[in-house]
Amino acid sequence: MNATCTTSSASDAVSTVEIDASCRVPLFTLFVSAAVWLVVASVFGLIASLKFHSPNLLSGCAWLTYGRVHPVATNALLYGFALQAGFGVALWIIARIGQTRVAQPWLIAVGGKLWNFGLLIGILGILGGDSTGFENLEIPSYGVVFLFLGYLLIGFWSLVTLHRRQERALGPSQWFLLAAFFWFPWIYFTANYLLLAHTPIRGVTQAIVDWWYIGNLNLVWFGLVGLAVAFYFIEQLMNRALHSRYLALFTFWTILLFASWSGIPRSAPVPAWIPAMSTVATVLTLVTALSVMVNIYQTCGRGCSQTENPPPGKFIAFGTGAFVIAWLMNSISAIPEVNAVTNFTWYTVAQWQLNVFGFFAMTMFGAIYYIVPRVTGMEWPSAKSVGRHFWLAAIGIILIALPLAIGGLIEGVHWRNPKLTNVDVAKNALNFLRVSTIGEVLILLGNVLLLGNLIGLSVRYYKIHFVPVYKDVTAKLDPAEVKP
Amino acid sequence: MRYGPIVFLAAFLTLSASWCGFVLTPQIQLGRAVQETNSVVKAELYPQGRPGLARAGLEVYRADGCFYCHSQQVDQKKTLVDVFLTDAGKTPTAVAQALEDAHAGTFSAPGLAAGLPKPVLRNATMESASVLASLLKKAGATAELHLAPAGPDIERGWGARRTVAQDFISDSTVMLGSQRVGPDLANVGARLPDENWQLMHLYAPRSVTKDSPMPSYPFLFERRKTGQHPAPDALQQLPKEFAPPAGYEIVPKPEARALVAYLLSLRSDTPLYEAPLTPPAPPAAATNAPAK
């Protein structure tokens, strides 16, 4: 009995190279399309930002109006980059920790194609005026169907990969990822079904469901996946275990329990118990941010500053820092007295950008820069541009989040002074917003560097692996070799 | 948390709880809400459904993403109460004493009956107003309480009271908005009821509001040659720098008309039991003073 066990596990043992190779097809699909959507998102984000410099800019055609360009930027960032890169990185981590090959890599790649097709027609739909009118869920139903089918393929086979792991006991990163893979289809299906079905729910229940979805996507899902990736890479790059698994468990539970109820502002025109409960839950997410901060500080200790941080480490360190700040900003702004100032202002936009880009996207950049060379067995064509991307993205997001947060607080105080006209309030806030345009430009440049590097690497990979094969296949045969 | 099923169960239970709380329960509580004769003053159903053109306008509002810059939720910090004396009764001295006891001020007893109804207490809390009202009742006088919602949004003139769930029950695609780059629109139909102003504002915001940061929406309008028969609905009072060249006119497309109809249908100034107010009606009008 014992002997068979040993032999079977020995024969099952898969080399790291094999695991990485099994990720190649799905990860290529997910990462290259994610990088393309990232550039799309930052181009549209820049257009939206420029409209605050000159309101008549590009106002002549309907599909370039602010109310269409802005949701295209957010949806391309959320569904095009963040979720898609998250799926890819999560898949690789699941395979690596589980010491097993990816299950059905081709089907996952097909899922990725469906996801991108759905997103493409969804984005075109928004530009054409088919936006659903629900924030973070603007993609019309004909796009959602493909996104959901694509996710089912990606999610199902990722969970099968998790199930095939060699070591049965699960570590922190795996808890977070398992919960996230289960969380997304539930919230996405619920929200889209209730809001876009043939007879949708009516009245403010629509707004409540939308808020519920936004909280569960932006805090729970990004929190779970982003932290799973951050914990995994901190352990890898620091070459030591996480300071406390129990603290990580605490983080996990507080995200599931509190963040899933967060996000409904105090003044919402809904029955009073709803914002009351949501306020309590959102304030309590404070402990999530603190537990992550303590755990990571204790793990890295002074080592963080001492080690020669390779670029992936820099991205992940920045990402975790942004996580703590973004979550603190969120929970503090839920306190009723603070919310009365911050609600409806650019402060909430600053918090959103810091969470989605500063935390999640930055963590994904670090992971992508680490994973892709291992999966392809090739170095990045331009190592310099990896470092440049870090600085462009880091300075870019600071130049977006900081002015918008300060400008938002000032705007909030101004809105409470009825003597200031709304044009005055908006004009004061606009100066801060205009600074953030510089941040948008820097982020766009950084994103172009990532895409360029990925494309460069793909071309090289193609040249090395496909061109010789093609030449071999198409080479003229030496008559002497032809057997009669 | 070592094994998959436990992690799965943790996620399943927590998400179920959140789903039951913020998806299922609100739907049970509000999903079947119908129009009610909830309005305090009028005996009609509230809210009235939007007319067809306004419903078409809601689709324009949605498609062009107006809700990214305009919220539709008026906030209210508190309700202030004014106490109006309507009848001084037969014992003005007792009434004057009651007013003094309630710290409403010193009134001379003989002059009380003059110029009724008149305010004897302004901007008070509900508590002190009801104390005064009961004291006055004991003294043989009658008083009315006038409720005035207050808060920065209301002082800005964005609404007469806070918005509540009842205001939206007949709408599908409820766009409450999350940001205020521009003003709140929950009550814009009552605030800016001029259709021509609204059209000019959509075509060229800066033609009616100086320095407005709002984008213009020329694609909702058609610029065409003024023929033999000028369009009756062409924009008339456009200032020079926004007006089309001579021989041309700016005619709103159906989308613009629909959007304006929707904007004008946005009003939330009906007094409701959950958001009471005394409308600025002629003094003789009925009030919503709580039943005594």
Side-chain angles (χ1 to χ4, degrees), chain A residues 9 59 83 99 107 117 168 225 233 257 267 278-279 438 472:
Chain A
S9 70
S59 67
L83 280 154
Q99 289 297 305
L107 284 181
F117 176 70
R168 295 321 293 171
V225 175
F233 279 102
L257 280 172
S267 64
S278 189
T279 299
I438 305 169
D472 271 2

Side-chain angles (χ1 to χ4, degrees), chain B residues 151-234:
Chain B
D153 288 4
I154 288 160
E155 283 167 55
R156 262 178 199 287
W158 283 349
R161 58 160 171 81
R162 68 194 168 92
T163 42
V164 292
Q166 182 76 15
D167 294 326
F168 300 93
I169 57 166
S170 59
D171 281 333
S172 189
T173 314
V174 169
M175 292 166 280
L176 298 179
S178 61
Q179 229 200 320
R180 285 174 176 166
V181 180
D184 190 277
L185 298 182
N187 200 35
V188 70
R191 198 151 55 82
L192 296 161
D194 180 358
E195 190 184 0
N196 193 46
W197 185 94
Q198 294 283 359
L199 285 168
M200 291 203 336
H201 186 245
L202 286 175
Y203 177 71
R206 281 154 292 285
S207 70
V208 285
T209 308
K210 190 172 169 283
D211 289 342
S212 163
M214 181 169 122
S216 45
Y217 293 86
F219 54 85
L220 296 175
F221 296 81
E222 194 185 337
R223 193 173 89 161
R224 61 184 185 209
K225 269 203 170 117
T226 317
Q228 296 254 305
H229 307 286
D233 55 350

Side-chain angles (χ1 to χ4, degrees), chain B residues 4-273:
Chain B
I6 303 174
V7 179
F8 174 80
L9 207 63
F12 180 78
L13 291 177
T14 46
L15 183 51
S16 303
S18 152
W19 185 86
C20 288
F22 280 174
V23 177
L24 185 62
T25 320
Q27 177 62 12
I28 293 170
Q29 188 178 1
L30 299 169
R32 287 168 205 281
V34 287
Q35 296 168 311
E36 289 174 34
T37 49
N38 204 3
S39 151
V40 177
V41 174
K42 296 173 217 153
E44 60 188 29
L45 290 174
Y46 182 83
Q48 296 282 309
R50 298 190 198 287
L53 190 61
R55 256 177 296 164
L58 181 139
E59 303 302 329
V60 180
Y61 192 88
R62 171 186 59 69
D64 291 334
C66 305
F67 57 96
Y68 293 110
C69 298
H70 295 281
S71 59
Q72 287 185 21
Q73 18 177 342
V74 175
D75 191 17
Q76 174 182 337
K77 294 277 170 270
K78 54 192 169 186
T79 303
L80 298 175
V81 187
D82 294 342
V83 181
F84 278 74
L85 190 67
T86 47
D87 182 3
K90 286 170 189 155
T91 50
T93 352
V95 175
Q97 187 58 44
L99 285 167
E100 201 162 343
D101 289 350
H103 308 290
T106 316
F107 290 83
S108 73
L112 268 177
L116 293 178
K118 66 179 176 188
V120 287
L121 187 64
R122 280 212 178 266
N123 298 339
T125 61
M126 194 65 203
E127 211 176 5
S128 57
S130 13
V131 168
L132 176 60
S134 65
L135 283 176
L136 288 172
K137 201 181 172 191
K138 270 185 205 158
T142 40
E144 276 179 0
L145 304 187
H146 286 202
L147 307 184
D153 288 4
I154 288 160
E155 283 167 55
R156 262 178 199 287
W158 283 349
R161 58 160 171 81
R162 68 194 168 92
T163 42
V164 292
Q166 182 76 15
D167 294 326
F168 300 93
I169 57 166
S170 59
D171 281 333
S172 189
T173 314
V174 169
M175 292 166 280
L176 298 179
S178 61
Q179 229 200 320
R180 285 174 176 166
V181 180
D184 190 277
L185 298 182
N187 200 35
V188 70
R191 198 151 55 82
L192 296 161
D194 180 358
E195 190 184 0
N196 193 46
W197 185 94
Q198 294 283 359
L199 285 168
M200 291 203 336
H201 186 245
L202 286 175
Y203 177 71
R206 281 154 292 285
S207 70
V208 285
T209 308
K210 190 172 169 283
D211 289 342
S212 163
M214 181 169 122
S216 45
Y217 293 86
F219 54 85
L220 296 175
F221 296 81
E222 194 185 337
R223 193 173 89 161
R224 61 184 185 209
K225 269 203 170 117
T226 317
Q228 296 254 305
H229 307 286
D233 55 350
L235 293 189
Q236 296 301 329
Q237 300 136 1
L238 278 173
K240 241 186 197 167
E241 63 265 45
F242 302 98
Y248 287 87
E249 59 185 2
I250 304 295
V251 184
K253 289 185 189 168
E255 294 95 298
R257 298 216 152 275
L259 181 55
V260 169
Y262 172 68
L263 292 174
L264 296 185
S265 79
L266 287 173
R267 31 188 324 155
S268 55
D269 52 356
T270 305
L272 301 174
Y273 283 113

Side-chain angles (χ1 to χ4, degrees), chain A residues 74-92:
Chain A
T74 47
N75 280 277
L77 180 60
L78 289 175
Y79 298 95
F81 180 75
L83 280 154
Q84 188 156 223
F87 297 150
V89 173
L91 180 65
W92 182 82

Side-chain angles (χ1 to χ4, degrees), chain A residues 52-69:
Chain A
F52 290 103
H53 295 256
S54 158
N56 277 338
L57 181 82
L58 303 175
S59 67
C61 48
W63 63 277
L64 278 175
T65 195
Y66 178 80
R68 299 190 189 184
V69 171

